[in-house]
Amino acid sequence: MTAARTGARTGVRRVVSLVPSLTEAVAATAPGLLVGATDWCTRPAGLDVVRVGGTKNPDVAAVTALRPDLVVANEEENREPDLAALRAAGVEVLVTEVRDLDQAFAELERMLVTGCGLTAPRWLDEARESWAAVPPAYGGGRKAVVPIWRRPWMVLGGDTFAGDLLARLGVHNVYGDLAERYPRIPLDRLRASGADLVVLPDEPYRFTADDGPEAFPGMPAALVDGRHLTWYGPSLVRAPAALRAALR
């Protein structure tokens, strides 16, 4: 799972990650490179690095104290004022943008190879192969609502990475045409949306068998691992099989 350096970039020996999936990607590729990560970075298990706060409220002073050669971030997960503060402190910040699977693959390679100076890892090739093996999805698939929060209810809207993965698996997000990416939709409208499936991930809100399906009486519910639906990193290797099993 590890990778050697390529010389694409030199001098990067200390990396801080502000995104859980990017943390896992760096740690799985070059374990010794990562020196700091957020409190939400739970993978790989047993990760032993300095914690620097949350994705939305990182401790800028704690990050700079680690003397990173590079901080990796994401335009959706992290706030621009925090990234600007890091840049003002002289820290180089690489910001990823991930709105679909192809962009995820490209951004992971950019971060690891161009940003960190590593060889593209085998797991990235395996992830591409796993998704290439998924049969093309055509019309007539299931129509789903995909809540990501309750109190208030929020769902996947348009232009999201998770929505693209579901589409590749033949699940049409009924709110996927909205301009807003994570709209608030009242529960009565969700129930009347015409969906024949509710997809309930366990993050960011932790939907469970006892918390979520009861709000959609008569509608089949698929409880999915949020890491397989929303993370872009080594989890993409197993994501197609895991999601297809959960969506049956």
Side-chain angles (χ1 to χ4, degrees):
M1 292 283 284
T2 59
R5 291 190 168 275
T6 65
R9 178 189 175 91
T10 59
V12 175
R13 295 292 183 271
R14 300 173 64 83
V15 173
V16 172
S17 171
L18 301 181
V19 183
S21 54
L22 299 184
T23 296
E24 185 178 27
V26 174
T29 306
L33 208 58
L34 201 65
V35 297
T38 74
D39 299 338
W40 298 103
C41 294
T42 57
R43 295 297 184 107
L47 180 67
D48 185 18
V49 297
V50 175
R51 302 297 173 158
V52 297
T55 57
K56 304 298 184 187
N57 57 344
D59 185 333
V60 172
V63 174
T64 57
L66 290 172
R67 297 177 289 106
D69 301 307
L70 183 68
V71 170
V72 294
N74 176 264
E75 51 89 28
E76 177 181 299
E77 294 278 349
N78 307 118
R79 301 185 320 122
E80 177 54 35
D82 296 320
L83 304 182
L86 288 169
R87 293 189 186 98
V91 177
E92 183 161 356
V93 181
L94 185 154
V95 182
T96 59
E97 178 185 85
V98 177
R99 303 294 179 91
D100 59 34
L101 182 63
D102 291 337
Q103 191 176 30
F105 288 144
E107 287 288 73
L108 285 165
E109 186 160 337
R110 181 172 73 93
M111 178 189 73
L112 294 169
V113 177
T114 305
C116 296
L118 302 169
T119 301
R122 176 58 188 157
W123 63 257
L124 187 55
D125 292 333
E126 292 172 350
R128 288 189 170 107
E129 292 164 5
S130 292
W131 282 96
V134 174
Y138 299 103
R142 305 189 78 174
K143 297 182 294 182
V145 292
V146 191
I148 58 168
W149 203 259
R150 68 183 301 176
R151 306 182 194 93
W153 286 95
M154 299 175 66
V155 299
L156 286 186
D159 194 28
T160 65
F161 171 72
D164 182 55
L165 295 196
L166 289 172
R168 291 169 184 267
L169 297 171
V171 177
H172 171 70
N173 173 17
V174 297
Y175 293 106
D177 293 333
L178 294 185
E180 192 173 354
R181 301 180 69 210
Y182 304 105
R184 295 185 181 187
I185 308 289
L187 182 57
D188 59 343
R189 286 176 53 193
L190 296 180
R191 291 170 172 166
S193 64
D196 54 30
L197 176 70
V198 55
V199 177
L200 297 168
D202 62 6
E203 61 177 83
Y205 185 91
R206 188 171 180 78
F207 288 106
T208 67
D210 300 318
D211 184 357
E214 82 290 343
F216 300 88
M219 188 183 299
L223 295 166
V224 303
D225 185 334
R227 179 168 166 263
H228 288 132
L229 182 62
T230 65
W231 286 38
Y232 31 89
S235 58
L236 286 170
V237 176
R238 292 194 64 250
L243 291 172
R244 291 174 79 177
L247 293 168
R248 285 178 184 156

